[in-house]
Amino acid sequence: EAQVTQNPRYLITVTGKKLTVTCSQNMNHEYMSWYRQDPGLGLRQIYYSMNVEVTDKGDVPEGYKVSRKEKRNFPLILESPSPNQTSLYFCASSFGTSGSFSSYNEQFFGPGTRLTVL
Amino acid sequence: GEDVEQSLFLSVREGDSSVINCTYTDSSSTYLYWYKQEPGAGLQLLTYIFSNMDMKQDQRLTVLLNKKDKHLSLRIADTQTGDSAIYFCAENPYSHGQNFVFGPGTRLSVLP
């Protein structure tokens, strides 16, 4: 089954304790992205990756790191989490830059990770 | 900059039609999208419309696009309790490459 998986689905942690949220897709997608969802703000992009070893900042990258060593995986790293990073996080992927800008482009989303930082 | 706006809440009675509205600022998007988020789940693509179309119909869903006013709407006919969800409007501006700009989402509540 074509899917994007995230782990863990739920996480409660304390300020300053490093954590990693994993994301994996089995659709051979080039493009992957991380979003956070907060009430009334919709989805805000944290980081994205156009391909292996190519990552770039989104709209709200502060306090986050990512890596893209393999095509299928795109982990989100919080080196020193703070309470304002309490949120619902989504990973997404899509076919990437091989298409033209006029192509229809669907992003496939993971189920989400609810993070609480105390 | 690019911005997508939606009202945050909508309540309808079961069997009525729902209309969710969206305005966007960047007219370079070739496609505009509607995503649905059910409780406890990720977003799923519901439908999309090509920017040179005015209307697209897909079973109970009708998408209307007014490119001059940069206004997109999603109409759900015969709304059911299973349609209760958050609906996100999204655009994919040319300047953003593969990146999407999402609206804040409209929470649709369907009352029995």
Side-chain angles (χ1 to χ4, degrees), chain A residues 2-57:
Chain A
Q3 60 183 350
V4 179
T5 56
Q6 294 178 228
N7 281 292
R9 294 289 313 277
Y10 302 91
L11 179 60
I12 301 174
T13 189
V14 295
T15 298
K17 187 175 180 184
K18 181 180 177 179
L19 66 93
T20 299
V21 184
T22 64
C23 172
S24 183
Q25 50 91 9
N26 62 2
M27 294 168 279
N28 201 36
H29 285 164
E30 291 180 346
Y31 175 91
M32 297 185 76
S33 180
W34 276 104
Y35 298 90
R36 59 179 289 173
Q37 181 182 12
D38 301 289
L41 297 177
L43 291 170
R44 293 181 292 168
Q45 190 178 45
I46 303 170
Y47 268 94
Y48 64 97
S49 169
M50 295 294 209
N51 214 327
V52 175
E53 302 291 2
V54 180
T55 63
D56 212 341
K57 295 178 181 178

Side-chain angles (χ1 to χ4, degrees), chain B residues 12-70:
Chain B
V12 300
R13 294 238 171 247
E14 192 173 11
D16 289 349
S17 292
S18 309
V19 179
I20 301 171
N21 294 302
C22 168
T23 57
Y24 59 96
T25 56
D26 193 315
S27 58
S28 69
S29 298
T30 306
Y31 289 88
L32 293 139
Y33 303 83
W34 284 103
Y35 276 80
K36 178 182 180 182
Q37 183 185 26
E38 295 184 353
L43 281 70
Q44 282 193 302
L45 182 67
L46 189 62
T47 188
Y48 62 95
I49 187 167
F50 189 45
S51 60
N52 71 353
M53 294 172 65
D54 299 323
M55 184 180 86
K56 178 181 179 181
Q57 189 147 4
D58 184 2
Q59 299 182 352
R60 292 190 299 121
L61 305 178
T62 303
V63 179
L64 295 177
L65 175 61
N66 182 328
K67 205 169 179 184
K68 173 176 164 290
D69 294 338
K70 296 179 188 168

